[in-house]
Amino acid sequence: MATDLSSLLSASKALTAHLSKPDLPSVNLSLDQIEAQSRRLVSRQAGPSDDSRANYLLAQARVDAPALANEIAHLNTATTFTPLQALQDTDTAGYLRHAHEQNLISTIEEARKETQEEFYRVLEEREQRDWEAKKRRVFEELGGRTNTGNKAVTELKKSYGGKNLLSASTGPAPTLQMQNKMMAYDRVVSRLNNSRLQGTSFPVVHALIEASLAINNDPRNLQMTQNFHVLAKITSEPPALPPMEHAGAHVLNAPLFERKYARVYLGDSESRDAVDLRKQIARGAREALEEQYWDVMERTIQARPMEARLGGDPSVANKVRAFVALRHYRNGEWEDRVELVASQPLWAKLFYMVRTGHAREALSEALKYQIQIDHREASFLSHFRNWVESPERRLPKPHRDQLHSIYNAHMLHSSTTDPFKLALYKLMGKIDPGRRSVAQVTVTTEDWLWFQLSMVDEEEHGGLRALTEVLLGYGERHFEGPKDGKRGVWAGVLLMCGQFERAVASLWEHQETEVEAVHLAIALAYHGLLRVPSRAETSDLTPLSLPPSGSPALSLSTLIWRYIRQFVKMDAKEALQYVYCVCLCADQPGGVGKEQVENAWELVRRIIVLANTGAAWEELVGGFRPDGTRFSGVIEQGAPLLKLDNLHDYNEQILSRAAKHSEDNDRAPEAIKLYNLAGDYTTVIACLAQALGNSITQPSGDEKARLIERTAADILRHYERTNRAVGKDRDAAIKLLRLREAMEAKESGRVELALEIIESTDLLPMDNDKAKMQRRAEEFRDLPESLQRNLQTFLTLTMDTLAALHQKIKNSMSPQATKQKSLDTLRTKARSIFVFAGALKYRMSADVYSYLARLDVEIAL
């Protein structure tokens, strides 16, 4: 074997003899050394890689991965944005073209980055808003603040036994400041509903303005008053109704307010009437801003009377002159670019007159300087006159084209043109509506909004809807800063462009303006300018519904319920006044109006269930006088506002269903009274028997049980006189009341009276007649459930009474013969009770049967 190995080694060396080099030493290693070196080499290699497998797969697809990797590694990106062909130094056109292409690429990239950043910012804001809305919704339902701990939530759930918290809870109590605000506004709602019941109109928006002025001492809060003022102008609501000369004059002379705009607002948005409504919205908003600015102007002059130098002339032109001087005259000279005409800043005066709604006064002022104006702007006065006298402040197209030519030729690119003259030309000619501001003119948010509304043209450029898209693109952050503490500006902007539902929702999102949000929604609904969603589109998170296709809608019932939950238990009558307003939207088409009426009925039932009991509760739902006559409550008196036209519908939709809700919420006395008011006497008796059966075992001091018994006694007396609801349930209720009397007599030591009362019920056989006992046992199965359920109570009470009477007779000083006769009678009764209990043993627990057996033995001794 060794020889073979040696010859094999020699032969292997001979194979590589011609490759050997004399300068390299030979390496002689044993097999163990070779194996060790091999293992060492393997350990130095990197772990298995998928590159080879990937390269193999790519090679099958004729892709040379190593070559591509090599090209990428040696790629020179320095020349990425250089021209493919070198530009000559004199190739100006090529250079400009290349620079233009690079600017486009850079612009696209920057726009992409901005869009991406804006997308993620909006996404984060929306997620945060949705989370806050959901969190707020949850804690509203649980009746606590957002800092309520999990333990409190758990305890609250336990207290309601897992029932629906939406109908069983109320919100947290409002602060004192909030209460004062709510009280000021709820008087307006009550007056509104009184007018609706009388069939007369009511200036609800002006009433809300008065309420807001009464409570808003802080100037920052005057924005809410201004918002109501904007709505008053949009709706053309007069501040007061015509005086009443005789009984019917008020109704005949008053304008129709309620749902005046509903047909148009809820109808086709492309109709002629809808276009006219949008014009009215823009015009009303513009007029409100004009009146607001006039008020600012007068207050400015009053604050600086010495500088204004108004004198004894209270005319519009003189006040505007004083204001222009206060605003634009500094250190003995006028501001830059303010052009003087006849030593007067005429263009500024004319603009401010137009800005404050005094366009005709502006025309009169311009005519005083006709020669000077014609010398500078030859055609201005003719255009200005036509514009002022136009009903819609709109010039014919030839006139506007001429104004465009003058504007583009002499004003657009001039650095010295008076900005107020520029603004007047833009307004008259509706010039360049895309450029939405004028330097030194639109300096405030209100100025900017007024200018936009003045430029709106429903015939061109999209009208008010196009402006709405622009404003929605700006969003709330553009108009309300997070630190200025001023709320309501964004809601006012939305009102001015006809986004009424969004305006209410924007106020509702902030706790300090929730009260105004609710009352603004009611005013809008009264005038027919509020769109409500269908039940399927209503969200649990927010009252506002934004369908993918269609107009925004606001759930008025949801808004009102969340608002009144704060005081529904303590002031149910005021809460009811708000619920009446839900039915203002009853005329909305597509079945939505009917759903609103049903929502109002449901809210009324919730109020009945949640309201505190007592005289105020009976004033709410009605009741019976001591003589048995029925009197109506506040709800029934306002039934026409709930679209309940007859007593049958009122009883069915309100009283009977509220009674069922009360019964489900363990409020048996209220349920019984409600069934009784609804005339459902059979259900009254059944409910009475059930409630008495549940309360019979309660201690004598239990107030709830005593209330049920008093209610039952009153109703049963009345039913016996009128012979109503005759049957087993009424007999059962009477027997249960008698049983309670027996229990009270025994507890007070009057055991003879207790036994007499028990025997008068004729429920238990006591004469030891086995046939009669068997028959009674069989009849017991047919008795009402309330009696069967209390079998053990009957038997133990009777046996305890017999035992107490037995002990009393034994200890008495009566003659022995009389005493023995009485004891024998008691033994007979006790034996009859025990035998009867044996016949019904399957209905009793073993402990009760044993207890009865022990007492029977004691009495037999």
Side-chain angles (χ1 to χ4, degrees), residues 404-688:
H404 274 249
S405 299
I406 298 172
Y407 178 84
N408 292 330
H410 305 292
M411 300 180 189
L412 179 59
H413 301 293
S414 174
S415 61
T416 59
T417 302
D418 189 306
F420 298 101
K421 180 169 67 173
L422 195 72
L424 288 171
Y425 270 89
K426 282 179 67 72
L427 290 173
M428 290 190 297
K430 309 284 187 187
I431 299 172
D432 198 6
R435 298 171 66 94
R436 300 184 178 276
S437 60
V438 179
Q440 296 181 249
V441 176
T442 54
V443 294
T444 66
T445 299
E446 290 76 12
D447 291 333
W448 186 87
L449 285 170
W450 176 86
F451 202 82
Q452 309 313 307
L453 293 167
S454 300
M455 295 282 286
V456 163
D457 190 343
E458 287 298 325
E459 308 299 331
E460 298 178 4
H461 308 297
L464 187 62
R465 289 182 290 187
L467 176 60
T468 300
E469 292 180 4
V470 174
L471 295 174
L472 292 177
Y474 289 148
E476 182 177 4
R477 295 177 57 186
H478 186 82
F479 296 93
E480 290 186 15
K483 297 181 180 180
D484 59 6
K486 188 177 181 181
R487 295 294 182 191
V489 176
W490 176 235
V493 172
L494 294 170
L495 278 176
M496 292 178 197
C497 58
Q499 293 292 305
F500 304 121
E501 295 82 9
R502 294 180 190 266
V504 174
S506 70
L507 293 175
W508 182 254
E509 289 179 357
H510 305 288
Q511 186 176 2
E512 60 267 34
T513 55
E514 285 182 352
V515 178
E516 287 84 356
V518 173
H519 294 86
L520 178 62
I522 291 173
L524 288 167
Y526 181 66
H527 283 280
L529 293 173
L530 190 75
R531 185 179 292 102
V532 295
S534 65
R535 193 170 293 155
E537 295 174 339
T538 303
S539 171
D540 290 335
L541 297 180
T542 174
L544 184 65
S545 175
L546 297 172
S549 60
S551 303
L554 186 91
S555 177
L556 183 61
S557 58
T558 301
L559 198 73
I560 285 179
W561 173 244
R562 293 188 186 181
Y563 177 71
I564 64 176
R565 280 178 44 168
Q566 303 174 80
F567 56 88
V568 63
K569 292 190 68 173
M570 302 305 299
D571 202 347
K573 288 174 60 178
E574 292 301 329
L576 184 65
Q577 295 295 324
Y578 285 89
V579 175
Y580 287 151
C581 297
V582 175
C583 292
L584 284 169
C585 301
D587 58 352
Q588 185 159 325
V592 178
K594 182 180 178 181
E595 291 180 352
Q596 296 307 304
V597 174
E598 292 173 352
N599 290 343
W601 295 345
E602 173 60 25
L603 294 185
V604 171
R605 293 191 289 265
R606 289 186 192 178
I607 290 174
I608 294 174
V609 174
L610 291 173
N612 288 335
T613 57
W617 189 84
E618 289 195 348
E619 185 181 358
L620 189 69
V621 301
F624 288 91
R625 300 182 181 89
D627 60 358
T629 58
R630 184 180 184 274
F631 63 89
S632 62
V634 176
I635 300 176
E636 186 175 352
Q637 295 167 10
L641 299 180
L642 295 170
K643 308 300 178 183
L644 295 169
D645 300 326
N646 54 70
L647 186 59
H648 176 269
D649 291 342
Y650 171 72
N651 289 340
E652 180 180 356
Q653 298 295 339
I654 303 299
L655 295 182
S656 295
R657 297 184 66 177
K660 185 66 172 64
H661 289 342
S662 297
E663 195 174 356
D664 294 340
N665 284 271
D666 197 23
R667 297 185 62 169
E670 291 80 7
I672 293 167
K673 291 179 180 179
L674 290 170
Y675 281 128
N676 193 28
L677 286 169
D680 192 354
Y681 306 120
T682 303
T683 306
V684 169
I685 292 298
C687 193
L688 270 178

Side-chain angles (χ1 to χ4, degrees), residues 731-752:
D731 294 340
I734 294 173
K735 287 179 171 58
L736 288 167
L737 281 178
R738 297 288 288 167
L739 180 61
R740 168 56 71 178
E741 293 176 13
M743 295 172 69
E744 292 175 351
K746 177 183 174 299
E747 289 176 0
S748 62
R750 297 173 296 167
V751 289
E752 294 89 348

